[in-house]
Amino acid sequence: MTTESLTLVRFGGEVFIKARRTRSAFMARLRDNVRDALSGDDGPPDVELGWDRLYVRSPDGPLPALARVFGISSYSPIDIVVPATLEDIVEAGGRVFADRVRGRTFAVRARRAGRHSFSSHDVQVGLGSRLIEGSAGVDLGDPEVAVHVEVRDDRAYLYSQRVTGAGGLPLGVEGRAITLLSGGFDSAVAAWLMLKRGVAQDYVFCNLGGDAYERAVVQVGKVLADDWSYGTRPRLHVVDFAEPLDALRQGSRERYWQVVLKRLMYRAASLVGQELAADAIVTGEAVGQVSSQTLPNLRAIEPAADLPVFRPLIGFDKQDIIERARHIGTAVLSEQVKEYCAIAPGKPVTAAAVAAVEREEAAIDLEVVARAVAQRRVLDLRALTPADLVAPYLFIDHVPDDAVVLDCRPQHQYRHWHLPGAEQRDEYELLQRFNKLDRDRRYVLYCAHGIQTAHIAETMQRAGYEAYSFRGGADGVRRWAAAGKAPQGR
Ligand code: ATP
Ligand code: MG
């Protein structure tokens, strides 16, 4: 006996109302996605496409990832496979399920495809009478245990468990969209709803606020990519929005910033979308959730996009969205995203007229957006490792104005020279006690070479702090200060 296990996978009902050719394409796509989902160190499992089922043979037992493959209505781990004879079925079924039906009501449900000398009814009667002793009797309507027998050609598959699948359509059968991903609750849930409908996605993130924000968004994107995107290789396009933001501040009136900024993001998504031949843009907007999402504002924002804009959450309440985010697995990360409202005007316009918004935007040279998009970084979300999630964000080349600077070298070196304003901390003590520090501040750490403090910064980041190690350690800090970049009074 091998420990190999067999699982029967059922397609979502919508697959069967499609025309034959579409249906085969959907089923083949689902088979490939299941292979991807269950691919382990030994490569993909053996997945056989039946007429209306998939049969998955895998070496390591239960398959939790199956519950996250879209297009599956349910699946059942097979308890035993036997030759398709009535005697074999009754004998094996009696043996395997006697314990499971003991003291409980049960029903035997049989289905048959192929030529056999017995009917499904014979199976139900034969196995039913074998199991009845010790059980609480047969209940065909609402049994506590349903014993299933599927006879297909020369084999019979017996099982009693049925796990509900994720539903929806196989990912990839409904084209590609560009999703504007901000790291908050909404856009991740919006992306998920589109993934569920078979739409493959790349994500565009417009970075307004530095490394810590980007890292959080990457983590959110990674949950969508790792857990819900089997069969695709989603990428995150990180667009540095510092320049567009500057242009916005200079060009348009403050009341319009929110709305015009959103237009610039739609433009960035459109440019990426054109490059990738995407068919749509997806956002997490919902009517009235924030002031930029009133109907008039959505209307004023929309024309900036060259592709249709889909908003799967348009009619959702916030609480519903957050609950869905918990199920998806992004909520714990989104909670930590410090909503970066680098521009938070006091009273944004709530009913912007299209013409007025267009006038405000006209003052901005849209080349800044094209340039930012051309210079974007593209991350293969599934290929990123935990180290990648931390390492690129550990080092910093400057000290932000509001940062707390901790010099982690020995006392005598600190006395000899330190960055004005820096506090001295013992490395070891800092590692033990950083959780006493104010979580709302940013920290820049340096030691002799910046290596030990990289370790501390990493530990602090994992605990939710925004902490960096200065690249090049104390020498790096000194060079940066000497170049006159340190603010006065430090
Ligand atoms: P979310 O919870 O997704 O952050 P929100 O309720 O905070 O949304 P807004 O900040 O107005 O609302 O954003 C609305 C939508 O615009 C987001 O759902 C997302 O699709 C897009 N968006 C907002 N900020 C960014 C950004 N920095 N980069 C990419 N897309 C963004
Ligand atoms: Mg947001």
Side-chain angles (χ1 to χ4, degrees), residues 179-188 190 204-208 213 258 262 265-266 282-286 289-290 292-293 318 339-341:
T179 299
L180 274 165
L181 190 70
S182 66
F185 291 107
D186 305 311
S187 39
V204 166
F205 164 54
C206 305
N207 196 353
L208 313 169
Y213 183 26
Q258 295 279 15
K262 207 45 74 58
M265 290 184 185
Y266 276 29
V282 175
T283 79
E285 287 151 331
Q289 200 191 80
V290 291
S292 60
Q293 297 174 22
K318 192 75 187 188
E339 275 288 320
Y340 234 101
C341 240

PDB file of all heavy atoms in Angstrom, residues 179-188 190 204-208 213 258 262 265-266 282-286 289-290 292-293 318 339-341, ligand 1:
ATOM      1  N   THR A 179      -5.360  45.696 -11.629  1.00  0.00           N
ATOM      2  CA  THR A 179      -6.027  46.111 -10.409  1.00  0.00           C
ATOM      3  C   THR A 179      -5.190  47.134  -9.664  1.00  0.00           C
ATOM      4  O   THR A 179      -4.003  46.922  -9.431  1.00  0.00           O
ATOM      5  CB  THR A 179      -6.298  44.885  -9.509  1.00  0.00           C
ATOM      6  OG1 THR A 179      -7.152  44.003 -10.229  1.00  0.00           O
ATOM      7  CG2 THR A 179      -6.958  45.292  -8.206  1.00  0.00           C
ATOM      8  N   LEU A 180      -5.819  48.252  -9.329  1.00  0.00           N
ATOM      9  CA  LEU A 180      -5.145  49.279  -8.532  1.00  0.00           C
ATOM     10  C   LEU A 180      -5.154  48.817  -7.080  1.00  0.00           C
ATOM     11  O   LEU A 180      -6.209  48.774  -6.441  1.00  0.00           O
ATOM     12  CB  LEU A 180      -5.859  50.616  -8.684  1.00  0.00           C
ATOM     13  CG  LEU A 180      -5.416  51.442  -9.898  1.00  0.00           C
ATOM     14  CD1 LEU A 180      -6.424  52.560 -10.180  1.00  0.00           C
ATOM     15  CD2 LEU A 180      -4.011  52.011  -9.700  1.00  0.00           C
ATOM     16  N   LEU A 181      -3.996  48.452  -6.599  1.00  0.00           N
ATOM     17  CA  LEU A 181      -3.889  47.852  -5.263  1.00  0.00           C
ATOM     18  C   LEU A 181      -3.245  48.850  -4.308  1.00  0.00           C
ATOM     19  O   LEU A 181      -2.138  49.316  -4.548  1.00  0.00           O
ATOM     20  CB  LEU A 181      -3.036  46.580  -5.348  1.00  0.00           C
ATOM     21  CG  LEU A 181      -3.016  45.694  -4.107  1.00  0.00           C
ATOM     22  CD1 LEU A 181      -4.367  45.020  -3.907  1.00  0.00           C
ATOM     23  CD2 LEU A 181      -1.930  44.630  -4.217  1.00  0.00           C
ATOM     24  N   SER A 182      -3.967  49.145  -3.216  1.00  0.00           N
ATOM     25  CA  SER A 182      -3.458  50.158  -2.288  1.00  0.00           C
ATOM     26  C   SER A 182      -3.028  49.570  -0.958  1.00  0.00           C
ATOM     27  O   SER A 182      -2.465  50.270  -0.134  1.00  0.00           O
ATOM     28  CB  SER A 182      -4.554  51.185  -2.018  1.00  0.00           C
ATOM     29  OG  SER A 182      -5.604  50.549  -1.323  1.00  0.00           O
ATOM     30  N   GLY A 183      -3.316  48.287  -0.725  1.00  0.00           N
ATOM     31  CA  GLY A 183      -2.939  47.679   0.547  1.00  0.00           C
ATOM     32  C   GLY A 183      -4.049  47.747   1.589  1.00  0.00           C
ATOM     33  O   GLY A 183      -4.031  47.013   2.563  1.00  0.00           O
ATOM     34  N   GLY A 184      -5.025  48.631   1.392  1.00  0.00           N
ATOM     35  CA  GLY A 184      -6.162  48.714   2.313  1.00  0.00           C
ATOM     36  C   GLY A 184      -7.069  47.498   2.138  1.00  0.00           C
ATOM     37  O   GLY A 184      -6.818  46.639   1.286  1.00  0.00           O
ATOM     38  N   PHE A 185      -8.138  47.434   2.925  1.00  0.00           N
ATOM     39  CA  PHE A 185      -9.042  46.284   2.852  1.00  0.00           C
ATOM     40  C   PHE A 185      -9.681  46.142   1.466  1.00  0.00           C
ATOM     41  O   PHE A 185      -9.822  45.053   0.937  1.00  0.00           O
ATOM     42  CB  PHE A 185     -10.186  46.437   3.867  1.00  0.00           C
ATOM     43  CG  PHE A 185      -9.746  46.328   5.295  1.00  0.00           C
ATOM     44  CD1 PHE A 185      -9.682  47.463   6.098  1.00  0.00           C
ATOM     45  CD2 PHE A 185      -9.411  45.100   5.844  1.00  0.00           C
ATOM     46  CE1 PHE A 185      -9.281  47.359   7.425  1.00  0.00           C
ATOM     47  CE2 PHE A 185      -9.015  44.991   7.165  1.00  0.00           C
ATOM     48  CZ  PHE A 185      -8.947  46.131   7.953  1.00  0.00           C
ATOM     49  N   ASP A 186     -10.094  47.278   0.917  1.00  0.00           N
ATOM     50  CA  ASP A 186     -10.999  47.233  -0.225  1.00  0.00           C
ATOM     51  C   ASP A 186     -10.390  46.659  -1.493  1.00  0.00           C
ATOM     52  O   ASP A 186     -10.966  45.765  -2.110  1.00  0.00           O
ATOM     53  CB  ASP A 186     -11.529  48.640  -0.521  1.00  0.00           C
ATOM     54  CG  ASP A 186     -12.180  49.251   0.701  1.00  0.00           C
ATOM     55  OD1 ASP A 186     -12.999  48.579   1.323  1.00  0.00           O
ATOM     56  OD2 ASP A 186     -11.839  50.395   1.036  1.00  0.00           O
ATOM     57  N   SER A 187      -9.250  47.188  -1.908  1.00  0.00           N
ATOM     58  CA  SER A 187      -8.762  46.774  -3.223  1.00  0.00           C
ATOM     59  C   SER A 187      -8.401  45.287  -3.262  1.00  0.00           C
ATOM     60  O   SER A 187      -8.585  44.630  -4.290  1.00  0.00           O
ATOM     61  CB  SER A 187      -7.588  47.645  -3.675  1.00  0.00           C
ATOM     62  OG  SER A 187      -6.736  47.961  -2.626  1.00  0.00           O
ATOM     63  N   ALA A 188      -7.943  44.734  -2.133  1.00  0.00           N
ATOM     64  CA  ALA A 188      -7.616  43.308  -2.122  1.00  0.00           C
ATOM     65  C   ALA A 188      -8.889  42.465  -2.290  1.00  0.00           C
ATOM     66  O   ALA A 188      -8.893  41.459  -3.004  1.00  0.00           O
ATOM     67  CB  ALA A 188      -6.894  42.934  -0.827  1.00  0.00           C
ATOM     68  N   ALA A 190     -11.646  43.483  -3.747  1.00  0.00           N
ATOM     69  CA  ALA A 190     -12.099  43.693  -5.129  1.00  0.00           C
ATOM     70  C   ALA A 190     -11.335  42.762  -6.072  1.00  0.00           C
ATOM     71  O   ALA A 190     -11.925  42.114  -6.948  1.00  0.00           O
ATOM     72  CB  ALA A 190     -11.893  45.150  -5.535  1.00  0.00           C
ATOM     73  N   VAL A 204      -1.210  47.265  -9.884  1.00  0.00           N
ATOM     74  CA  VAL A 204      -0.452  48.513  -9.954  1.00  0.00           C
ATOM     75  C   VAL A 204      -0.582  49.204  -8.606  1.00  0.00           C
ATOM     76  O   VAL A 204      -1.688  49.395  -8.096  1.00  0.00           O
ATOM     77  CB  VAL A 204      -0.980  49.433 -11.080  1.00  0.00           C
ATOM     78  CG1 VAL A 204      -0.415  50.844 -10.927  1.00  0.00           C
ATOM     79  CG2 VAL A 204      -0.610  48.858 -12.442  1.00  0.00           C
ATOM     80  N   PHE A 205       0.562  49.528  -8.036  1.00  0.00           N
ATOM     81  CA  PHE A 205       0.583  50.256  -6.770  1.00  0.00           C
ATOM     82  C   PHE A 205       1.294  51.582  -7.000  1.00  0.00           C
ATOM     83  O   PHE A 205       2.427  51.609  -7.490  1.00  0.00           O
ATOM     84  CB  PHE A 205       1.320  49.426  -5.713  1.00  0.00           C
ATOM     85  CG  PHE A 205       1.725  50.216  -4.507  1.00  0.00           C
ATOM     86  CD1 PHE A 205       0.785  50.951  -3.786  1.00  0.00           C
ATOM     87  CD2 PHE A 205       3.042  50.228  -4.091  1.00  0.00           C
ATOM     88  CE1 PHE A 205       1.164  51.691  -2.684  1.00  0.00           C
ATOM     89  CE2 PHE A 205       3.433  50.958  -2.978  1.00  0.00           C
ATOM     90  CZ  PHE A 205       2.487  51.692  -2.278  1.00  0.00           C
ATOM     91  N   CYS A 206       0.634  52.667  -6.689  1.00  0.00           N
ATOM     92  CA  CYS A 206       1.228  53.994  -6.844  1.00  0.00           C
ATOM     93  C   CYS A 206       1.786  54.396  -5.487  1.00  0.00           C
ATOM     94  O   CYS A 206       1.013  54.680  -4.563  1.00  0.00           O
ATOM     95  CB  CYS A 206       0.183  55.004  -7.299  1.00  0.00           C
ATOM     96  SG  CYS A 206      -0.655  54.483  -8.814  1.00  0.00           S
ATOM     97  N   ASN A 207       3.080  54.379  -5.365  1.00  0.00           N
ATOM     98  CA  ASN A 207       3.667  54.616  -4.047  1.00  0.00           C
ATOM     99  C   ASN A 207       3.759  56.098  -3.730  1.00  0.00           C
ATOM    100  O   ASN A 207       4.459  56.842  -4.385  1.00  0.00           O
ATOM    101  CB  ASN A 207       5.046  53.962  -3.950  1.00  0.00           C
ATOM    102  CG  ASN A 207       5.490  53.868  -2.501  1.00  0.00           C
ATOM    103  OD1 ASN A 207       4.822  54.411  -1.610  1.00  0.00           O
ATOM    104  ND2 ASN A 207       6.593  53.186  -2.257  1.00  0.00           N
ATOM    105  N   LEU A 208       3.035  56.494  -2.700  1.00  0.00           N
ATOM    106  CA  LEU A 208       3.037  57.885  -2.257  1.00  0.00           C
ATOM    107  C   LEU A 208       3.840  58.038  -0.988  1.00  0.00           C
ATOM    108  O   LEU A 208       4.028  59.141  -0.500  1.00  0.00           O
ATOM    109  CB  LEU A 208       1.610  58.338  -1.925  1.00  0.00           C
ATOM    110  CG  LEU A 208       0.485  58.026  -2.901  1.00  0.00           C
ATOM    111  CD1 LEU A 208      -0.849  58.302  -2.267  1.00  0.00           C
ATOM    112  CD2 LEU A 208       0.673  58.865  -4.143  1.00  0.00           C
ATOM    113  N   TYR A 213       5.364  51.483   3.507  1.00  0.00           N
ATOM    114  CA  TYR A 213       4.069  51.355   2.843  1.00  0.00           C
ATOM    115  C   TYR A 213       4.169  50.325   1.726  1.00  0.00           C
ATOM    116  O   TYR A 213       3.347  49.406   1.623  1.00  0.00           O
ATOM    117  CB  TYR A 213       3.672  52.730   2.299  1.00  0.00           C
ATOM    118  CG  TYR A 213       2.315  52.792   1.643  1.00  0.00           C
ATOM    119  CD1 TYR A 213       1.295  51.908   1.992  1.00  0.00           C
ATOM    120  CD2 TYR A 213       2.043  53.767   0.686  1.00  0.00           C
ATOM    121  CE1 TYR A 213       0.058  51.994   1.392  1.00  0.00           C
ATOM    122  CE2 TYR A 213       0.801  53.859   0.083  1.00  0.00           C
ATOM    123  CZ  TYR A 213      -0.190  52.963   0.430  1.00  0.00           C
ATOM    124  OH  TYR A 213      -1.406  53.037  -0.168  1.00  0.00           O
ATOM    125  N   GLN A 258      -7.479  65.131  -4.162  1.00  0.00           N
ATOM    126  CA  GLN A 258      -7.892  63.718  -4.057  1.00  0.00           C
ATOM    127  C   GLN A 258      -8.396  63.196  -5.397  1.00  0.00           C
ATOM    128  O   GLN A 258      -8.043  62.108  -5.832  1.00  0.00           O
ATOM    129  CB  GLN A 258      -9.040  63.569  -3.042  1.00  0.00           C
ATOM    130  CG  GLN A 258      -8.670  63.893  -1.620  1.00  0.00           C
ATOM    131  CD  GLN A 258      -7.971  62.740  -0.930  1.00  0.00           C
ATOM    132  OE1 GLN A 258      -7.513  61.797  -1.592  1.00  0.00           O
ATOM    133  NE2 GLN A 258      -7.854  62.805   0.369  1.00  0.00           N
ATOM    134  N   LYS A 262      -6.527  60.567  -8.041  1.00  0.00           N
ATOM    135  CA  LYS A 262      -7.131  59.310  -8.469  1.00  0.00           C
ATOM    136  C   LYS A 262      -7.122  59.217  -9.997  1.00  0.00           C
ATOM    137  O   LYS A 262      -6.883  58.157 -10.567  1.00  0.00           O
ATOM    138  CB  LYS A 262      -8.545  59.206  -7.909  1.00  0.00           C
ATOM    139  CG  LYS A 262      -9.103  57.818  -7.684  1.00  0.00           C
ATOM    140  CD  LYS A 262      -8.173  56.840  -7.028  1.00  0.00           C
ATOM    141  CE  LYS A 262      -7.920  57.027  -5.547  1.00  0.00           C
ATOM    142  NZ  LYS A 262      -9.093  56.979  -4.716  1.00  0.00           N
ATOM    143  N   MET A 265      -3.791  58.091 -11.042  1.00  0.00           N
ATOM    144  CA  MET A 265      -3.628  56.643 -10.808  1.00  0.00           C
ATOM    145  C   MET A 265      -4.327  55.843 -11.913  1.00  0.00           C
ATOM    146  O   MET A 265      -3.790  54.841 -12.382  1.00  0.00           O
ATOM    147  CB  MET A 265      -4.208  56.249  -9.447  1.00  0.00           C
ATOM    148  CG  MET A 265      -3.395  56.758  -8.273  1.00  0.00           C
ATOM    149  SD  MET A 265      -4.106  56.145  -6.727  1.00  0.00           S
ATOM    150  CE  MET A 265      -3.066  57.000  -5.536  1.00  0.00           C
ATOM    151  N   TYR A 266      -5.502  56.275 -12.294  1.00  0.00           N
ATOM    152  CA  TYR A 266      -6.203  55.606 -13.398  1.00  0.00           C
ATOM    153  C   TYR A 266      -5.350  55.676 -14.664  1.00  0.00           C
ATOM    154  O   TYR A 266      -5.314  54.735 -15.457  1.00  0.00           O
ATOM    155  CB  TYR A 266      -7.547  56.294 -13.679  1.00  0.00           C
ATOM    156  CG  TYR A 266      -8.699  55.858 -12.815  1.00  0.00           C
ATOM    157  CD1 TYR A 266      -8.510  55.395 -11.520  1.00  0.00           C
ATOM    158  CD2 TYR A 266     -10.006  55.928 -13.303  1.00  0.00           C
ATOM    159  CE1 TYR A 266      -9.592  55.020 -10.740  1.00  0.00           C
ATOM    160  CE2 TYR A 266     -11.089  55.552 -12.529  1.00  0.00           C
ATOM    161  CZ  TYR A 266     -10.883  55.094 -11.245  1.00  0.00           C
ATOM    162  OH  TYR A 266     -11.959  54.717 -10.480  1.00  0.00           O
ATOM    163  N   VAL A 282      -9.468  47.466 -12.390  1.00  0.00           N
ATOM    164  CA  VAL A 282     -10.307  47.119 -11.238  1.00  0.00           C
ATOM    165  C   VAL A 282      -9.882  47.980 -10.055  1.00  0.00           C
ATOM    166  O   VAL A 282      -8.684  48.169  -9.827  1.00  0.00           O
ATOM    167  CB  VAL A 282     -10.140  45.626 -10.872  1.00  0.00           C
ATOM    168  CG1 VAL A 282     -10.923  45.284  -9.604  1.00  0.00           C
ATOM    169  CG2 VAL A 282     -10.576  44.734 -12.032  1.00  0.00           C
ATOM    170  N   THR A 283     -10.848  48.530  -9.317  1.00  0.00           N
ATOM    171  CA  THR A 283     -10.516  49.278  -8.102  1.00  0.00           C
ATOM    172  C   THR A 283     -11.402  48.818  -6.948  1.00  0.00           C
ATOM    173  O   THR A 283     -12.390  48.123  -7.150  1.00  0.00           O
ATOM    174  CB  THR A 283     -10.737  50.803  -8.260  1.00  0.00           C
ATOM    175  OG1 THR A 283     -12.145  51.079  -8.118  1.00  0.00           O
ATOM    176  CG2 THR A 283     -10.247  51.310  -9.600  1.00  0.00           C
ATOM    177  N   GLY A 284     -11.048  49.262  -5.758  1.00  0.00           N
ATOM    178  CA  GLY A 284     -11.808  48.882  -4.562  1.00  0.00           C
ATOM    179  C   GLY A 284     -12.811  49.935  -4.149  1.00  0.00           C
ATOM    180  O   GLY A 284     -13.241  49.961  -2.997  1.00  0.00           O
ATOM    181  N   GLU A 285     -13.199  50.797  -5.064  1.00  0.00           N
ATOM    182  CA  GLU A 285     -14.113  51.875  -4.687  1.00  0.00           C
ATOM    183  C   GLU A 285     -15.523  51.362  -4.392  1.00  0.00           C
ATOM    184  O   GLU A 285     -16.000  50.428  -5.031  1.00  0.00           O
ATOM    185  CB  GLU A 285     -14.149  52.933  -5.801  1.00  0.00           C
ATOM    186  CG  GLU A 285     -12.862  53.743  -5.827  1.00  0.00           C
ATOM    187  CD  GLU A 285     -12.505  54.269  -7.213  1.00  0.00           C
ATOM    188  OE1 GLU A 285     -12.858  53.631  -8.215  1.00  0.00           O
ATOM    189  OE2 GLU A 285     -11.841  55.318  -7.275  1.00  0.00           O
ATOM    190  N   ALA A 286     -16.182  52.019  -3.423  1.00  0.00           N
ATOM    191  CA  ALA A 286     -17.575  51.718  -3.081  1.00  0.00           C
ATOM    192  C   ALA A 286     -18.290  53.054  -2.906  1.00  0.00           C
ATOM    193  O   ALA A 286     -17.710  53.977  -2.333  1.00  0.00           O
ATOM    194  CB  ALA A 286     -17.646  50.906  -1.788  1.00  0.00           C
ATOM    195  N   GLN A 289     -17.966  55.649   0.272  1.00  0.00           N
ATOM    196  CA  GLN A 289     -17.146  55.197   1.400  1.00  0.00           C
ATOM    197  C   GLN A 289     -16.250  56.312   1.923  1.00  0.00           C
ATOM    198  O   GLN A 289     -16.092  56.486   3.116  1.00  0.00           O
ATOM    199  CB  GLN A 289     -16.316  53.985   0.989  1.00  0.00           C
ATOM    200  CG  GLN A 289     -15.857  53.208   2.197  1.00  0.00           C
ATOM    201  CD  GLN A 289     -14.837  52.179   1.836  1.00  0.00           C
ATOM    202  OE1 GLN A 289     -13.663  52.490   1.670  1.00  0.00           O
ATOM    203  NE2 GLN A 289     -15.271  50.947   1.701  1.00  0.00           N
ATOM    204  N   VAL A 290     -15.617  57.025   1.024  1.00  0.00           N
ATOM    205  CA  VAL A 290     -14.866  58.230   1.398  1.00  0.00           C
ATOM    206  C   VAL A 290     -15.269  59.317   0.416  1.00  0.00           C
ATOM    207  O   VAL A 290     -15.923  59.047  -0.589  1.00  0.00           O
ATOM    208  CB  VAL A 290     -13.332  57.991   1.357  1.00  0.00           C
ATOM    209  CG1 VAL A 290     -12.892  57.050   2.443  1.00  0.00           C
ATOM    210  CG2 VAL A 290     -12.894  57.489  -0.002  1.00  0.00           C
ATOM    211  N   SER A 292     -13.872  60.921  -1.856  1.00  0.00           N
ATOM    212  CA  SER A 292     -13.520  60.850  -3.279  1.00  0.00           C
ATOM    213  C   SER A 292     -14.387  59.828  -3.999  1.00  0.00           C
ATOM    214  O   SER A 292     -14.306  59.679  -5.204  1.00  0.00           O
ATOM    215  CB  SER A 292     -12.045  60.498  -3.446  1.00  0.00           C
ATOM    216  OG  SER A 292     -11.788  59.247  -2.859  1.00  0.00           O
ATOM    217  N   GLN A 293     -15.226  59.122  -3.270  1.00  0.00           N
ATOM    218  CA  GLN A 293     -16.033  58.062  -3.885  1.00  0.00           C
ATOM    219  C   GLN A 293     -17.526  58.384  -3.939  1.00  0.00           C
ATOM    220  O   GLN A 293     -18.370  57.493  -3.934  1.00  0.00           O
ATOM    221  CB  GLN A 293     -15.778  56.731  -3.163  1.00  0.00           C
ATOM    222  CG  GLN A 293     -14.331  56.296  -3.305  1.00  0.00           C
ATOM    223  CD  GLN A 293     -13.972  55.070  -2.489  1.00  0.00           C
ATOM    224  OE1 GLN A 293     -14.834  54.292  -2.118  1.00  0.00           O
ATOM    225  NE2 GLN A 293     -12.706  54.900  -2.195  1.00  0.00           N
ATOM    226  N   LYS A 318     -18.782  48.524   4.432  1.00  0.00           N
ATOM    227  CA  LYS A 318     -17.400  48.330   4.896  1.00  0.00           C
ATOM    228  C   LYS A 318     -17.263  47.050   5.730  1.00  0.00           C
ATOM    229  O   LYS A 318     -16.306  46.296   5.569  1.00  0.00           O
ATOM    230  CB  LYS A 318     -16.950  49.543   5.718  1.00  0.00           C
ATOM    231  CG  LYS A 318     -15.463  49.569   6.008  1.00  0.00           C
ATOM    232  CD  LYS A 318     -14.671  49.964   4.781  1.00  0.00           C
ATOM    233  CE  LYS A 318     -13.167  49.829   4.979  1.00  0.00           C
ATOM    234  NZ  LYS A 318     -12.400  50.391   3.859  1.00  0.00           N
ATOM    235  N   GLU A 339      -2.634  53.930   6.394  1.00  0.00           N
ATOM    236  CA  GLU A 339      -3.210  54.558   5.203  1.00  0.00           C
ATOM    237  C   GLU A 339      -2.385  55.788   4.907  1.00  0.00           C
ATOM    238  O   GLU A 339      -2.342  56.727   5.680  1.00  0.00           O
ATOM    239  CB  GLU A 339      -4.666  54.923   5.464  1.00  0.00           C
ATOM    240  CG  GLU A 339      -5.608  53.773   5.204  1.00  0.00           C
ATOM    241  CD  GLU A 339      -5.772  53.459   3.723  1.00  0.00           C
ATOM    242  OE1 GLU A 339      -5.836  54.407   2.925  1.00  0.00           O
ATOM    243  OE2 GLU A 339      -5.835  52.265   3.377  1.00  0.00           O
ATOM    244  N   TYR A 340      -1.705  55.737   3.814  1.00  0.00           N
ATOM    245  CA  TYR A 340      -0.821  56.829   3.514  1.00  0.00           C
ATOM    246  C   TYR A 340      -1.549  57.909   2.777  1.00  0.00           C
ATOM    247  O   TYR A 340      -1.729  57.856   1.583  1.00  0.00           O
ATOM    248  CB  TYR A 340       0.375  56.354   2.701  1.00  0.00           C
ATOM    249  CG  TYR A 340       1.620  56.777   3.387  1.00  0.00           C
ATOM    250  CD1 TYR A 340       2.358  55.889   4.148  1.00  0.00           C
ATOM    251  CD2 TYR A 340       2.020  58.101   3.334  1.00  0.00           C
ATOM    252  CE1 TYR A 340       3.483  56.288   4.823  1.00  0.00           C
ATOM    253  CE2 TYR A 340       3.150  58.513   4.010  1.00  0.00           C
ATOM    254  CZ  TYR A 340       3.873  57.602   4.756  1.00  0.00           C
ATOM    255  OH  TYR A 340       4.978  58.001   5.425  1.00  0.00           O
ATOM    256  N   CYS A 341      -2.001  58.839   3.501  1.00  0.00           N
ATOM    257  CA  CYS A 341      -2.602  59.967   2.831  1.00  0.00           C
ATOM    258  C   CYS A 341      -1.602  61.082   2.880  1.00  0.00           C
ATOM    259  O   CYS A 341      -1.664  61.973   3.714  1.00  0.00           O
ATOM    260  CB  CYS A 341      -3.940  60.327   3.435  1.00  0.00           C
ATOM    261  SG  CYS A 341      -5.216  60.187   2.191  1.00  0.00           S
TER     262      CYS A 341
HETATM  263  P1  ATP B   1      -8.537  50.665  -0.017  1.00  0.00           P
HETATM  264  O1  ATP B   1      -9.119  50.075   1.215  1.00  0.00           O
HETATM  265  O2  ATP B   1      -8.431  49.671  -1.145  1.00  0.00           O
HETATM  266  O3  ATP B   1      -7.243  51.352   0.261  1.00  0.00           O
HETATM  267  P2  ATP B   1      -9.980  53.111   0.316  1.00  0.00           P
HETATM  268  O4  ATP B   1     -11.294  52.886   0.899  1.00  0.00           O
HETATM  269  O5  ATP B   1      -8.876  53.525   1.204  1.00  0.00           O
HETATM  270  O6  ATP B   1      -9.561  51.808  -0.522  1.00  0.00           O
HETATM  271  P3  ATP B   1      -9.243  55.162  -1.570  1.00  0.00           P
HETATM  272  O7  ATP B   1      -7.989  55.410  -0.873  1.00  0.00           O
HETATM  273  O8  ATP B   1     -10.079  56.296  -2.065  1.00  0.00           O
HETATM  274  O9  ATP B   1     -10.232  54.223  -0.781  1.00  0.00           O
HETATM  275  O10 ATP B   1      -8.943  54.255  -2.800  1.00  0.00           O
HETATM  276  C1  ATP B   1      -9.936  53.787  -3.647  1.00  0.00           C
HETATM  277  C2  ATP B   1      -9.312  52.804  -4.604  1.00  0.00           C
HETATM  278  O11 ATP B   1      -8.316  53.453  -5.390  1.00  0.00           O
HETATM  279  C3  ATP B   1      -8.588  51.676  -3.910  1.00  0.00           C
HETATM  280  O12 ATP B   1      -9.457  50.633  -3.560  1.00  0.00           O
HETATM  281  C4  ATP B   1      -7.585  51.271  -4.959  1.00  0.00           C
HETATM  282  O13 ATP B   1      -8.192  50.459  -5.936  1.00  0.00           O
HETATM  283  C5  ATP B   1      -7.213  52.601  -5.571  1.00  0.00           C
HETATM  284  N1  ATP B   1      -6.036  53.182  -4.887  1.00  0.00           N
HETATM  285  C6  ATP B   1      -6.018  54.058  -3.859  1.00  0.00           C
HETATM  286  N2  ATP B   1      -4.760  54.373  -3.504  1.00  0.00           N
HETATM  287  C7  ATP B   1      -3.946  53.678  -4.318  1.00  0.00           C
HETATM  288  C8  ATP B   1      -2.519  53.564  -4.473  1.00  0.00           C
HETATM  289  N3  ATP B   1      -1.674  54.244  -3.678  1.00  0.00           N
HETATM  290  N4  ATP B   1      -2.046  52.743  -5.438  1.00  0.00           N
HETATM  291  C9  ATP B   1      -2.889  52.051  -6.230  1.00  0.00           C
HETATM  292  N5  ATP B   1      -4.220  52.113  -6.132  1.00  0.00           N
HETATM  293  C10 ATP B   1      -4.762  52.913  -5.203  1.00  0.00           C
END
